[in-house]
Amino acid sequence: ALLVPQGKPLSPGEVLGCTSPVFDKEYDMLIFLADGRFHMESMMIQNPHIKEFYKYDPYNKKLTLEKYGHERMHDIRHKAIQRAASAKKFGLILGTLGRQGNPNILERLRELLVQHKRDYVIVLLSEIFPSKLQLFQDVDAWVQVACPRLSIDWGYAFDKPLLTGYELEVALGTTEWQSVYPMDYYRADGGRWANYYEDDATKAAKAKERAAARQRRLEARQRRMAERKRKKKAARRLKKQQQQEQQEQEQGQGKQQQQEPPPRTADQTVTIAYENN
């Protein structure tokens, strides 16, 4: 079977470095059109069951078989999470480069740290380098709300753990470590660390508002239908009234014509005049 995958709200076939669609187990081969590996690696991380990943580069017109070190990546990230689990003070980084940073995610992570009674400091950065973070000597672990792949691909280069939102949840015990590392940061069905995540209360409130909006639309439609019926009924009543008035007018004219003598002809006029003479 041939499939062009989609991770809504992204378009079919669209993949981001931190967001990929999920393939069913029946698919065992994938062909990725790109001139690099960054976005394709997102697909590979999200779908480790696919054994054959082919990349076709439309510029050099080459088809290559690609591999990804899943075990090594999981080992590095799991160790970083274990180190961060005992951290007393966290640094929360909100990325300011483009649209990477999401204040809503930052707030959810901040509330999570407050619930677990962990100290924190919020830092806004356009670019995240080890030398910048080394200036904060009192921070034991970092959590960045920018590009998740920064932690996955380059986290080992920082002297202190640099986690994603998902990894912070694992470190604090609110989410279990997943055997398939999630690449769902811009998917509608993403976890609590994702951009479009909504808690149950928010979902219920929005569902209630949608139901209320549907009810308002239904009531407005019913009012419009009732108004149309009223206007049609009034138009029919007016038409009937006009028809009755026209009939009465025609009947009145008929009676008047019956009562009036018929008009005299020329011969009758001459005769009457002669008789008078």
Side-chain angles (χ1 to χ4, degrees):
L2 180 64
L3 172 70
V4 178
Q6 181 180 15
K8 293 181 179 181
L10 303 184
S11 302
E14 183 180 4
V15 175
L16 302 180
C18 58
T19 307
S20 288
V22 179
F23 279 86
D24 294 334
K25 298 296 183 180
E26 62 179 298
Y27 296 94
D28 53 10
M29 180 187 296
L30 184 141
I31 299 178
F32 200 89
L33 274 65
D35 61 342
R37 277 181 55 97
F38 182 74
H39 292 86
M40 185 184 68
E41 287 177 351
S42 170
M43 183 75 80
M44 300 171 83
I45 293 170
Q46 182 64 79
N47 299 276
H49 64 281
I50 296 181
K51 303 305 179 185
E52 296 183 19
F53 273 89
Y54 290 93
K55 182 189 71 166
Y56 178 73
D57 190 330
Y59 296 101
N60 60 25
K61 296 180 174 57
K62 288 184 179 181
L63 181 68
T64 56
L65 178 63
E66 305 291 331
K67 300 290 184 181
Y68 188 84
H70 294 279
E71 293 183 2
R72 185 169 182 271
M73 184 273 283
H74 279 241
D75 181 63
I76 292 174
R77 301 317 304 151
H78 198 262
K79 287 180 179 178
I81 292 172
Q82 289 178 328
R83 288 178 57 197
S86 59
K88 295 182 179 179
K89 184 173 183 179
F90 284 84
L92 291 177
I93 302 174
L94 179 64
T96 60
L97 181 64
R99 299 177 61 187
Q100 287 185 340
N102 187 326
N104 294 330
I105 296 178
L106 181 75
E107 179 59 21
R108 287 200 295 268
L109 298 179
R110 188 195 68 81
E111 292 177 354
L112 188 63
L113 291 174
V114 171
Q115 292 173 5
H116 287 79
K117 299 180 180 180
R118 305 294 180 96
D119 196 8
Y120 66 90
V121 60
I122 296 176
V123 181
L124 275 64
L125 293 175
S126 59
E127 295 180 326
I128 303 173
F129 292 116
S131 57
K132 290 183 179 180
L133 303 191
Q134 287 172 357
L135 299 175
F136 297 83
Q137 296 293 328
D138 59 337
V139 173
D140 301 314
W142 293 91
V143 185
Q144 54 96 5
V145 182
C147 175
R149 291 289 296 280
L150 177 62
S151 297
I152 296 172
D153 297 353
W154 300 101
Y156 66 87
F158 293 78
D159 60 348
K160 294 178 181 178
L162 180 65
L163 307 184
T164 64
Y166 156 67
E167 292 173 344
L168 176 63
E169 296 225 4
V170 175
L172 297 179
T174 56
T175 295
E176 295 291 333
W177 171 262
Q178 300 182 22
S179 59
V180 176
Y181 196 99
M183 289 283 101
D184 60 355
Y185 289 87
Y186 284 95
R187 283 210 319 259
D189 60 350
R192 285 192 294 266
W193 48 85
N195 283 272
Y196 299 120
Y197 171 78
E198 295 176 341
D199 57 27
D200 293 339
T202 302
K203 288 180 181 179
K206 288 190 174 183
K208 184 177 180 180
E209 176 57 30
R210 287 193 296 268
R214 285 195 298 269
Q215 182 63 28
R216 289 194 296 269
R217 289 194 297 270
L218 177 61
E219 292 174 354
R221 182 183 177 187
Q222 291 174 342
R223 286 194 297 270
R224 289 194 300 269
M225 292 177 65
E227 180 65 15
R228 282 197 294 266
K229 289 181 179 179
R230 185 190 67 78
K231 289 182 178 180
K232 286 182 179 179
K233 187 176 181 180
R236 287 194 299 266
R237 187 166 57 249
L238 178 61
K239 184 177 180 180
K240 185 177 181 180
Q241 182 179 355
Q242 290 174 344
Q243 290 175 345
Q244 290 176 349
E245 291 176 353
Q246 185 177 0
Q247 290 176 357
E248 292 175 357
Q249 185 178 3
E250 291 175 352
Q251 291 175 357
Q253 291 175 351
K255 291 179 179 180
Q256 184 178 3
Q257 290 175 357
Q258 291 176 359
Q259 294 173 357
E260 292 179 354
R264 295 172 179 173
T265 64
D267 294 340
Q268 290 175 331
T269 304
V270 172
T271 303
I272 295 172
Y274 176 77
E275 290 176 351
N276 290 336
N277 290 330

